[in-house]
Amino acid sequence: MPQPHPAPDHPAQHHLTQALAQAQAALLRASPNPRVGCVLVNPQGQVIGQGSTQQAGGPHAEVMALRDAQARGRATAGVTAYVTLEPCCHQGRTGPCTEALIGAGIGRVLTALPDPNPLVAGQGVARLRAAGLAVEVASDSADPALQAWAAAAHELNIGFFSRMQRQTPWVRMKVAASLDGVTALPNGQSQWITGEAARADGHAWRARACAVLTGIGTVLQDQPRLDVRGVDTPRQPMLVIVDSALQTPPDAALFAPQRPVLVYAATQQPARQAALERSGAAVTHLPGAASQEGASPKVDLAAMLRDLAARGVNELHVEAGHKLNGSLLRAGLVDELLVYLAPQWLGSGAGMSNFGPLEQLADGLALNFRGVEMVGRDVRLLARVTGRDTF
């Protein structure tokens, strides 16, 4: 998984990198909160405390750093706090971080960028300045190193920014295929096209997401668990199933303890819904228009994303078949593609998505490659839909 790092050549480069490393440490646990790191540095340039966001309801990065300094017996008066996101200034499940910093006598705050949460959105910076602290926002700086630091902090929290600014999660579609784009043989066999290293890497990407999305076709064909395995994670992401007619078997392997399962349906099936609810699923009806005249309605996918955002989903990890993949792509609902290509040529079979046919090359989905890397014997491509990181 790509690791964000700011550009070099800044006097406090080491502290910027440390703060990002602390934010990275919160990657798997902070959801639905942003992943934030904080480093406290005294006037002599010594780190006296550092911390990162804990699980929802737990302390934020600034409080963890202050506690670390206290545990070390270090004074915090007049120190500089390097924070990868604007300190919060509102009372939520925890108290305002601005007040904790002010109460600790912090003299200066360098924060990477403003918090997009409307409850903060510049008010945290204003509160700190009103209390007499010197505050600098890296995203407002002309310094390339500070701009790079802000960009790395944004990238680490791209799902949180998406939810706050667009009211939809950041949608990342994962596909595993042969070099010629086949995801399953005509008989449905697909396990395993990619190697063990790529599958382990895919679990790491699952783990960072708030929710994993699949379709009823994948549930019935593959009988997947779609949980995180082989990764030391404090939580399992929610599982989301697009199941228009509520065909998910109540005894499916995906119903695991300690993991929420959310099923989106388009038709009323009271008996099936009751059976799924007894298995622990929550069923939500979001019917959209039928794909063709006389056909049964399908789930309104755009409305589903808005509903998931309202439930606190920052990053949505899609592992579905070519039909649901195509529907999401055609509707313009995918932000990023995570593609593993195996060194194998399979010929006919299921493709990555039912997208098209198109009349013009210009009608294709424009992408920007963000990363190309070998993972074991396979190639991992990370490609972003053009313009999706400018919100």
Side-chain angles (χ1 to χ4, degrees):
M1 190 176 299
Q3 302 294 316
H5 293 289
D9 301 326
H10 186 275
Q13 180 61 40
H14 180 60
H15 306 318
L16 303 181
T17 302
Q18 279 183 297
L20 272 181
Q22 285 293 320
Q24 183 78 25
L27 183 71
L28 305 185
R29 65 167 177 253
S31 172
N33 293 328
R35 300 139 177 169
V36 182
C38 177
V39 174
L40 303 178
V41 181
N42 67 16
Q44 291 73 45
Q46 299 168 322
V47 173
I48 64 165
Q50 52 188 325
S52 60
T53 307
Q54 302 301 295
Q55 287 182 264
H60 292 185
E62 298 91 328
V63 171
M64 291 299 293
L66 290 170
R67 289 181 181 178
D68 185 35
Q70 183 180 37
R72 299 187 195 191
R74 307 301 292 270
T76 54
V79 309
T80 296
Y82 295 85
V83 192
T84 60
L85 191 67
E86 176 184 10
C88 67
C89 56
H90 65 289
Q91 177 68 49
R93 283 177 284 195
T94 61
C97 292
T98 51
E99 303 313 299
L101 293 171
I102 292 166
I106 299 297
R108 175 174 174 261
V109 174
L110 175 58
T111 185
L113 66 174
D115 188 331
N117 187 337
L119 296 174
V120 186
Q123 298 176 69
V125 167
R127 170 66 184 128
L128 293 173
R129 285 174 174 160
L133 281 72
V135 182
E136 183 178 2
V137 181
S139 59
D140 295 336
S141 172
D143 186 320
L146 291 182
Q147 289 179 355
W149 187 52
H154 181 275
E155 188 69 21
L156 195 57
N157 285 299
I158 197 162
F160 181 73
F161 275 80
S162 177
R163 178 166 69 89
M164 289 295 162
Q165 296 179 333
R166 303 188 303 177
Q167 288 74 56
T168 61
W170 180 259
V171 179
R172 182 180 295 114
M173 179 179 288
K174 180 255 184 180
V175 180
S178 62
L179 189 57
D180 57 339
V182 174
T183 60
L185 297 178
N187 63 7
Q189 185 180 354
S190 62
Q191 298 179 352
W192 301 101
I193 291 175
T194 53
E196 185 176 348
R199 296 196 299 275
D201 191 67
H203 277 273
W205 285 93
R206 273 185 198 174
R208 69 171 283 165
C210 302
V212 175
L213 172 73
T214 195
I216 184 58
T218 298
V219 171
L220 297 177
Q221 175 70 36
D222 298 338
Q223 300 180 19
R225 287 165 55 184
L226 287 173
D227 56 354
V228 175
R229 300 185 297 279
V231 177
D232 186 13
T233 177
R235 60 167 181 84
Q236 286 287 341
M238 177 194 302
L239 178 60
V240 181
I241 306 170
V242 177
D243 182 6
S244 294
L246 287 179
Q247 297 174 283
T248 301
D251 60 351
L254 53 84
F255 288 108
Q258 309 303 317
R259 177 173 62 158
V261 177
L262 180 58
V263 179
Y264 284 96
T267 58
Q268 296 285 346
Q269 303 280 351
R272 294 180 183 177
Q273 177 171 337
L276 289 175
E277 289 173 344
R278 285 194 295 271
S279 293
V283 178
T284 298
H285 292 271
L286 286 177
S291 56
Q292 55 188 10
E293 188 174 349
S296 300
K298 301 294 184 182
V299 172
D300 185 331
L301 298 177
M304 177 190 70
L305 292 186
R306 293 191 295 271
D307 186 65
L308 288 172
R311 296 172 185 267
V313 173
N314 295 329
E315 293 186 17
L316 180 64
H317 181 90
V318 179
E319 293 199 35
H322 60 284
K323 291 182 180 179
L324 180 54
N325 284 352
S327 296
L328 290 165
L329 287 165
R330 287 193 303 274
L333 301 177
V334 177
D335 298 303
E336 193 167 61
L337 293 166
L338 175 67
V339 181
Y340 298 88
L341 294 178
Q344 195 171 18
W345 201 271
L346 295 178
S348 61
M352 296 186 190
S353 71
N354 283 357
F355 183 75
L358 305 176
E359 297 292 333
Q360 303 288 335
L361 288 174
D363 295 335
L365 185 65
L367 302 168
N368 295 317
F369 284 119
R370 304 281 296 188
V372 181
E373 195 170 328
M374 293 297 299
V375 179
R377 66 179 178 88
D378 305 307
V379 175
R380 183 186 68 201
L381 303 173
L382 192 63
R384 187 164 295 175
V385 175
T386 301
R388 286 299 172 91
D389 54 0
T390 57
F391 54 83

